[in-house]
C-alpha cells in the first residue's frame, strides 16, 4: 500500500507509515484465514424470534466464593500475536500480579484470629461447641475440678469413706514442695521404696542424676523446733544426689525378689542396679559398643524368674536379658513397633504377657511364650491390640490384670486383659472405662502416666496421675475419682507421680526438680 507524500513529512516518517499499513493488512489477513479455518472467534449469531414461546425462568446458580486473585487470559482470543511486544508486556503484568498476590498471602497477620474464620480445607463442621477446645483448653493453675462438695454429695457410703480418706492426705509438713529440690533438673522418673516404716522416695532427672529423699527426717525437725536458736524458716531438707547415668533416667523398678535393689534405665543405653545395702550402682545391661545410641524407656524384672530382665527402647524394640550372662549379651531383641515404645508392663500373675504403649497410637498385648521368625523379624505372638486417636504414652498393669493407658487424645483408658490370655489370634482390647483427662503436657512438662497402687490393703484398685492445673488426681479402676490433691508451695505441674505399693502415700515430681509428698 503506497503512502502519498505529503508536505512536511520526512522520508523516515513516510517509511514508518508504510510499515504500519503493511502490518495492519497482514493482521487482517491472518484473522480472516483463522476464521475460515474454524479456529478464530466466530461471529455472533443473530437473535431468533421467540414469539409464541414461553420463556423459562432463569435458574439462580449458586456462586462459589473463590479467591479473586489475578487470572490468566487468552492472548490468541484477544488478537495478540505471539512473541509480539504487546504479548511480552501482557505476560510481565500477569507475572507481577501473581507475585503481588503471593506476597500478600505470606505477610504476617497481627490482628486477633477467630478460629472459626481460620478453618482450612473448607471444614465447616467445626464450631466452638462440642469440640476439643471446650473440653480442654489451656491449663488453669489452682482451678479444681474435684472438690470437697463432690465428696459430700457421694451417696455410696463405701465410696464416700474412700474419698474422704484419700482426700485427707496432707503434704509433708517439714517444708513446702518448692523447697524440696530432690533433683537438679527436670524429673522424668519416680520410685517408692516398698518399706512401710518410712516414705523413701527416689527421683531421676534429665541429666542422669538420682535424688533420694527420706521423709523420716521430720523427727529431727520436731527436735529442732524445741531449740530456740533454730529458725524453722532456715531448715533445708536433707537430700542425697547421685550421678549414676550420663543422660535422662527414664524409669525405676524395684526388684520384686529383692527390695534392696533398685533398677534404673536411661537414655544413655544402660540399665543399672542400685544396691541399697552395699551402696553400689552396678551396670547390668548395656550394648557391647560403647558408642551405640540405644535410649531405653522402661525396665522390669519378671515376677516368676529373678534372672530375666526386660526393657524397651525408643526405637520400638523390646529386650530380654539374662542377668547371669555378661551385661552386653542379650537373649532376645524383638522389634515390636516401628516407632517409640513409651513404656511397657508385665502382667503380675502371668509374666509372659506384656503390654506395650507406642507412638504409633497403639496398645498391644504380646505373649512371650511364642516367639517366631528369624533374625530382625523375630517377635512374640500379638494377642490383643487397641488403637487410639493419638499416641499412647504408657501402659501399666495392676494386680488384677487391668491395664491403664494415658494418651494424647486426652483420655485415660482402663483395659481388662485376663480373658485374652487363652484366646487364639489377635483380639480387640476395647477399654472398659474411659476417663476424660487433660494430657496436653507440651514441651516443658514430662509426659503424664497413670501409676497403680500395686498392693492396696483394702483391695480397691486405684491409680494416680498428674494434673495440668498443678494437682494430682486419684481414680479407681471404674473411673471414679477419689481425690484431687494439692497444697501451698506447688509452683509447677507435678507431672511424674508414684503410688506407694501398700501405703496411701503419693509422691510427685515437677519440671523444676521439686518433690511433692502426700502422706
Amino acid at each position: 500500500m503506497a503512502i502519498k507524500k505529503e508536505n512536511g513529512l520526512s522520508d523516515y516518517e513516510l517509511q514508518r507509515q508504510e510499515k504500519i499499513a503493511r502490518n495492519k493488512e497482514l493482521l487482517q489477513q491472518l484473522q480472516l484465514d483463522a476464521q475460515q479455518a474454524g479456529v478464530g472467534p466466530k461471529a455472533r449469531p443473530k437473535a431468533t424470534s421467540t414469539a409464541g414461546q414461553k420463556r423459562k425462568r432463569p435458574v439462580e446458580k449458586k456462586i462459589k466464593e473463590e479467591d479473586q486473585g489475578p487470572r490468566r487470559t487468552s492472548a490468541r482470543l484477544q488478537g495478540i500475536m505471539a512473541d509480539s511486544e504487546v504479548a511480552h508486556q501482557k505476560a510481565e503484568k500477569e507475572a507481577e500480579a501473581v507475585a503481588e498476590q503471593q506476597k500478600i498471602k505470606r505477610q504476617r497477620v497481627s490482628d486477633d484470629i477467630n478460629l472459626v474464620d481460620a478453618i482450612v480445607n473448607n471444614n465447616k463442621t467445626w464450631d466452638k461447641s462440642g469440640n476439643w477446645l471446650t473440653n480442654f483448653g489451656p491449663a488453669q493453675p489452682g482451678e479444681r475440678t474435684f472438690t470437697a462438695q463432690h465428696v459430700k454429695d457421694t451417696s455410696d457410703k463405701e465410696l464416700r469413706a474412700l474419698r474422704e480418706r484419700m482426700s485427707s492426705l496432707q503434704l509433708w509438713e517439714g517444708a513446702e514442695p518448692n523447697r524440696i529440690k530432690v533433683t537438679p533438673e527436670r524429673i522424668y522418673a519416680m520410685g517408692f521404696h516398698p518399706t512401710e516404716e518410712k516414705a523413701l522416695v527416689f527421683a531421676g532427672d534429665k541429666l542422669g542424676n538420682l535424688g533420694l529423699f527420706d521423709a523420716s527426717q521430720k523427727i529431727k525437725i520436731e527436735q529442732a523446733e524445741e531449740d530456740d536458736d533454730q529458725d524453722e524458716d532456715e531448715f533445708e531438707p536433707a537430700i542425697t544426689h547421685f550421678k549414676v547415668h550420663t543422660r535422662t533416667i527414664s524409669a525405676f523398678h524395684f526388684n520384686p525378689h529383692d527390695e534392696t535393689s533398685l533398677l534404673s534405665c536411661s537414655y544413655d543405653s544402660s540399665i543399672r542396679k542400685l544396691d541399697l545395702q552395699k551402696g553400689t550402682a552396678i551396670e547390668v545391661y548395656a550394648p557391647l559398643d560403647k558408642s551405640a545410641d540405644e535410649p531405653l524407656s522402661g525396665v522390669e524384672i519378671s515376677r516368676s524368674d529373678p534372672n530375666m530382665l526386660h526393657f524397651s527402647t525408643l526405637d520400638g524394640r523390646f529386650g530380654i536379658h539374662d542377668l547371669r550372662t555378661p551385661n552386653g549379651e542379650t537373649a532376645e531383641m524383638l522389634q515390636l513397633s516401628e516407632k517409640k515404645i513409651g513404656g511397657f508392663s508385665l502382667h503380675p500373675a502371668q509374666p509372659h504377657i506384656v503390654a506395650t504403649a507406642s507412638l504409633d497410637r497403639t496398645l498391644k498385648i504380646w505373649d512371650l511364650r511364642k516367639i517366631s521368625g528369624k533374625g530382625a523379624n523375630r517377635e512374640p505372638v500379638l494377642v490383643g491390640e487397641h488403637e487410639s486417636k493419638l499416641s499412647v504414652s504408657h501402659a501399666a498393669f495392676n494386680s488384677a490384670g487391668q491395664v491403664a493407658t494415658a494418651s494424647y487424645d486426652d483420655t485415660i483408658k482402663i483395659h481388662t486383659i485376663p480373658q485374652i490370655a487363652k484366646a487364639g489370634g489377635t483380639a480387640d482390647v476395647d477399654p472398659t472405662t474411659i476417663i476424660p483427662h487433660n494430657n496436653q503436657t507440651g514441651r516443658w512438662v514430662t509426659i503424664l502416666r497413670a501409676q497403680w497402687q500395686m498392693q492396696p490393703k483394702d483391695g480397691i484398685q486405684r491409680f494416680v496421675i498428674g494434673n495440668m492445673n498443678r494437682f494430682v488426681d486419684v481414680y479407681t479402676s471404674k473411673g471414679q475419682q477419689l481425690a484431687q490433691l494439692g497444697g501451698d508451695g506447688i509452683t509447677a505441674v507435678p507431672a511424674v507421680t508414684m503410688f506407694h505399693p501398700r501405703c496411701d502415700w503419693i509422691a510427685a515430681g515437677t519440671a523444676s526438680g521439686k518433690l511433692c509428698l502426700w502422706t
Side-chain angles (χ1 to χ4, degrees):
M1 180 178 179
I3 303 296
K4 295 182 179 180
K5 188 173 183 179
E6 299 178 4
N7 295 332
L9 294 178
S10 64
D11 293 338
Y12 172 78
E13 183 64 24
L14 290 174
Q15 292 177 2
R16 192 178 73 82
Q17 294 290 344
E18 290 177 358
K19 186 175 181 180
I20 292 174
R22 287 197 301 271
N23 289 341
K24 186 175 181 180
E25 289 180 357
L26 180 60
L27 180 60
Q28 291 176 351
Q29 185 63 36
L30 288 173
Q31 292 177 345
L32 181 62
D33 293 343
Q35 290 179 358
Q36 293 176 354
V39 296
K42 297 180 180 180
R44 181 177 299 176
K46 294 182 180 180
T48 58
S49 175
T50 59
Q53 297 180 2
K54 294 182 178 180
R55 293 185 179 181
K56 294 182 179 181
R57 181 176 296 178
V59 179
E60 296 182 359
K61 295 183 178 181
K62 295 182 179 180
I63 301 176
K64 186 179 180 180
E65 296 181 1
E66 296 181 352
D67 183 16
Q68 301 298 325
R71 298 177 180 274
R72 294 187 60 190
T73 56
S74 173
R76 178 180 60 80
L77 297 179
Q78 292 180 345
I80 301 175
M81 296 187 62
D83 297 331
S84 67
E85 184 66 23
V86 177
H88 286 303
Q89 292 178 359
K90 176 179 178 295
E92 290 178 357
K93 289 182 179 180
E94 289 181 351
E96 291 176 358
V98 171
E100 182 65 23
Q101 189 73 8
Q102 293 296 326
K103 181 179 179 181
I104 294 174
K105 289 182 178 180
R106 292 192 299 266
Q107 190 172 2
R108 176 175 57 86
V109 178
S110 300
D111 298 335
D112 295 341
I113 298 176
N114 188 332
L115 292 183
V116 176
D117 301 328
I119 297 175
V120 297
N121 298 331
N122 199 31
N123 182 8
K124 299 300 183 181
T125 61
W126 186 93
D127 55 41
K128 289 189 291 184
S129 60
N131 288 276
W132 56 269
L133 280 180
T134 321
N135 298 328
F136 299 110
Q140 301 293 332
E143 182 177 316
R144 287 184 175 272
T145 56
F146 185 83
T147 64
Q149 189 63 38
H150 291 87
V151 178
K152 185 178 180 180
D153 294 341
T154 305
S155 57
D156 188 318
K157 293 182 178 181
E158 293 184 1
L159 178 59
R160 179 174 178 175
L162 182 57
R163 283 177 166 174
E164 290 175 345
R165 189 172 85 242
M166 296 304 303
S167 297
S168 65
L169 297 181
Q170 299 295 320
L171 283 171
W172 186 67
E173 60 184 6
E176 291 186 349
N178 59 8
R179 295 177 58 193
I180 311 176
K181 191 168 178 61
V182 69
T183 60
E185 297 291 336
R186 185 206 297 192
I187 296 175
Y188 274 75
M190 298 286 293
F192 233 130
H193 194 280
T195 180
E196 299 182 33
E197 297 177 359
K198 58 182 178 180
L200 194 60
V201 182
F202 296 81
D205 73 4
K206 65 180 295 185
L207 296 183
N209 298 294
L210 186 152
L212 172 59
F213 177 76
D214 184 354
S216 66
Q217 61 186 282
K218 64 183 180 181
I219 299 175
K220 298 180 181 179
I221 301 173
E222 294 171 357
Q223 295 174 351
E225 289 175 349
E226 298 176 359
D227 188 354
D228 295 337
D229 297 333
Q230 177 72 27
D231 186 358
E232 183 180 353
D233 294 336
E234 294 180 357
F235 171 76
E236 291 296 333
I239 298 170
T240 306
H241 294 146
F242 304 98
K243 181 70 172 178
V244 295
H245 290 280
T246 58
R247 295 176 62 187
T248 301
I249 297 176
S250 53
F252 287 122
H253 177 68
F254 273 97
N255 190 335
H257 308 279
D258 181 9
E259 294 183 349
T260 64
S261 297
L262 173 65
L263 295 171
S264 62
C265 67
S266 170
Y267 288 0
D268 66 7
S269 310
S270 71
I271 299 174
R272 286 187 174 274
K273 182 181 74 171
L274 180 64
D275 192 320
L276 302 180
Q277 287 185 338
K278 297 180 180 179
T280 58
I282 305 169
E283 185 178 81
V284 294
Y285 171 77
L288 290 174
D289 184 2
K290 290 187 177 181
S291 62
D293 186 17
E294 301 175 5
L296 307 180
S297 58
V299 60
E300 275 195 42
I301 285 184
S302 171
R303 293 181 180 271
S304 62
D305 189 341
N307 296 309
M308 297 311 295
L309 177 71
H310 302 78
F311 58 90
S312 58
T313 72
L314 295 189
D315 60 1
R317 292 185 295 167
F318 182 79
I320 305 174
H321 174 65
D322 192 332
L323 293 174
R324 293 167 294 189
T325 63
N327 63 3
E329 296 182 7
T330 304
E332 293 284 353
M333 187 64 86
L334 311 171
Q335 190 74 43
L336 302 188
S337 174
E338 295 181 357
K339 297 184 178 181
K340 166 186 173 182
I341 294 179
F344 78 95
S345 182
L346 299 177
H347 194 297
Q350 306 174 72
H352 56 274
I353 299 296
V354 58
T356 60
S358 175
L359 191 62
D360 64 6
R361 302 178 295 134
T362 63
L363 162 71
K364 294 182 178 180
I365 311 298
W366 308 86
D367 190 340
L368 298 178
R369 296 173 300 179
K370 305 174 183 179
I371 299 177
S372 59
K374 295 183 179 180
N377 295 324
R378 286 179 60 77
E379 66 176 21
V381 175
L382 180 64
V383 294
E385 183 177 8
H386 176 74
E387 184 173 348
S388 295
K389 295 179 180 179
L390 297 174
S391 65
V392 185
S393 306
H394 184 61
F397 270 109
N398 64 10
S399 57
Q402 295 172 301
V403 174
T405 63
S407 172
Y408 267 100
D409 63 3
D410 289 330
T411 62
I412 304 169
K413 298 176 182 177
I414 311 299
H415 307 260
T416 302
I417 304 300
Q419 70 273 14
I420 71 164
K422 298 180 181 179
T426 303
D428 291 331
V429 190
D430 294 330
T432 54
T433 302
I434 300 178
I435 306 170
H437 195 269
N438 184 4
N439 299 327
Q440 304 300 316
T441 56
R443 181 179 179 183
W444 306 110
V445 178
T446 306
I447 294 173
L448 303 183
R449 298 180 174 186
Q451 300 286 3
W452 295 97
Q453 186 176 31
M454 293 305 296
Q455 301 170 21
K457 294 182 179 180
D458 56 8
I460 299 176
Q461 300 294 332
R462 48 183 173 267
F463 66 88
V464 62
I465 188 171
N467 184 302
M468 291 301 295
N469 289 359
R470 299 181 183 177
F471 300 100
V472 295
D473 295 326
V474 184
Y475 294 93
T476 68
S477 59
K478 298 179 180 180
Q480 301 162 320
Q481 185 158 7
L482 300 180
Q484 190 168 82
L485 304 176
D488 297 333
I490 301 178
T491 57
V493 177
V496 186
T497 57
M498 182 59 63
F499 233 129
H500 186 276
R502 293 182 284 270
C503 301
D504 288 338
W505 300 339
I506 294 174
T510 71
S512 55
K514 307 297 178 59
L515 173 67
C516 309
L517 177 62
W518 290 270
T519 58

